[in-house]
Amino acid sequence: MALGFVVMLTVLVVCIGLLSTCAICLDRTAISRTAAELDNRLLEVAPYLGAAALFFLAKRATTGQSERISYALDWDITAEIYAVEGEFVAVLQDIVPDVTVGFFSAMYMFGFPYLLVTAPILYFLLPSQRHLKELLIAYLLNYLIGTIFYTLFIAYGPRNHLSSVTGLMYDFYPQAQTMTSAVSSNTNVFPSLHTSLAVVVLVFAWRSRSEYPRWFPLASFVVSCVVFSTMYLGIHWLIDVLAGIVLGVGAVWIAEWIVTRAEGRSGPVPIGDESEDGITSEVSD
């Protein structure tokens, strides 16, 4: 029951965020154009959607085997991470006011899925599907590489390794642990996929700022909060976050190369007149 409630709450918050973002970044022309071209757009991105779907189905089917391999290898790198990083997360929790726990817990729980869902919807609403194709491949690469690391290495987060670090989110909102434990093991720490996937969204928001000028500052704020929350809440080490940043940027670069090879184009197709595409632009006061 607790898991169902958390899932429903997450879906509700993400839908509200998605609709609000679309209201800020789009006008009705984009929606009507997408509706008119829906079949063609779905057909164009179908191979990428299919590849992503097959991967996640395979990942779900092999999750148990992956964990068994990880424990059989028993390559626990937690002590090595702590030896390099020390008490950084503990110090972070000491200096950040406790009043922010609720906010950063919400950003971790709801801001992250909001980013993952909103970005592909926005790019599907563009006339060119190039951004969406690259984004889907970047998502897939993050999970693929992350799964490999999680299978090879065992790593526990600061809240599980240090008595000086508290699992602030789980103390503030215990129901959150029900959902996080359902989708991830507490040894899935290095690298931080919350960080890497959030960085992927941020890079694409930067690259699409001419099409969506309001999306980039909004995504920047949410991404910054999500990345910070992973450390402040005691879930990830700073080293996990740095590795996640490298993974995210690298995944975007590889995704661009893959789509370029597949599509035979060097970059996104120029959009042309933004007013005709239904994309709002910044208007000076």
Side-chain angles (χ1 to χ4, degrees):
M1 184 63 182
L3 178 59
F5 172 77
V6 175
V7 171
M8 289 178 58
L9 180 60
T10 302
V11 170
L12 176 62
V13 173
V14 170
C15 286
I16 292 173
L18 171 62
L19 292 175
S20 300
T21 303
C22 288
I24 293 170
C25 297
L26 301 170
D27 62 31
R28 277 175 285 182
T29 308
I31 305 298
S32 60
R33 182 188 289 270
T34 301
E37 301 175 355
L38 183 60
D39 291 344
N40 290 335
R41 294 191 189 187
L42 287 174
L43 185 62
E44 185 178 352
V45 300
Y48 298 88
L49 291 171
L54 286 174
F55 170 78
F56 286 113
L57 287 173
K59 181 178 182 298
R60 183 172 180 82
T62 58
T63 296
Q65 294 178 340
S66 176
E67 291 183 359
R68 286 192 290 272
I69 293 172
S70 181
Y71 284 112
L73 292 173
D74 197 25
W75 292 344
D76 190 333
I77 61 173
T78 311
E80 286 74 14
I81 292 175
Y82 174 67
V84 173
E85 180 172 323
E87 300 281 336
F88 176 82
V89 174
V91 173
L92 195 64
Q93 288 192 343
D94 286 340
I95 63 177
V96 177
D98 292 341
V99 71
T100 63
V101 171
F103 171 76
F104 285 113
S105 296
M107 295 306 297
Y108 183 88
M109 286 294 297
F110 308 128
F112 177 67
Y114 157 78
L115 291 170
L116 295 191
V117 171
T118 301
I121 296 296
L122 288 177
Y123 297 135
F124 184 70
L125 292 169
L126 288 174
S128 169
Q129 298 300 293
R130 181 60 181 263
H131 284 313
L132 177 58
K133 294 172 183 177
E134 293 181 358
L135 180 70
L136 291 173
I137 295 298
Y139 279 0
L140 190 154
L141 288 170
N142 270 266
Y143 279 108
L144 174 61
I145 297 171
T147 298
I148 293 173
F149 273 87
Y150 292 161
T151 301
L152 291 177
F153 303 111
I154 294 173
Y156 293 94
R159 68 183 179 87
N160 297 122
H161 187 70
L162 300 176
S163 59
S164 55
V165 173
T166 304
L168 296 176
M169 180 174 67
Y170 302 129
D171 293 341
F172 174 79
Y173 186 42
Q175 295 90 334
Q177 191 161 11
T178 305
M179 184 171 180
T180 56
S181 61
V183 298
S184 179
S185 168
N186 62 359
T187 61
N188 292 353
V189 170
F190 178 84
S192 166
L193 287 188
H194 265 67
T195 297
S196 65
L197 288 162
V199 166
V200 166
V201 173
L202 181 61
V203 172
F204 276 94
W206 168 257
R207 293 174 62 186
S208 63
R209 64 194 183 281
S210 61
E211 296 96 330
Y212 290 129
R214 297 186 179 104
W215 171 231
F216 176 66
L218 178 58
S220 298
F221 174 75
V222 178
V223 168
S224 298
C225 292
V226 169
V227 172
F228 181 82
S229 72
T230 64
M231 295 180 289
Y232 173 56
L233 298 174
I235 298 169
H236 284 287
W237 306 89
L238 173 61
I239 289 176
D240 304 331
V241 168
L242 296 176
I245 293 172
V246 173
L247 173 57
V249 173
V252 172
W253 183 82
I254 297 172
E256 181 181 7
W257 181 84
I258 290 173
V259 175
T260 296
R261 294 288 296 239
E263 301 289 319
R265 295 194 299 269
S266 60
V269 174
I271 298 297
D273 186 355
E274 293 180 349
S275 64
E276 295 180 357
D277 295 329
I279 302 167
T280 58
S281 60
E282 299 288 1
V283 180
S284 58
D285 294 330

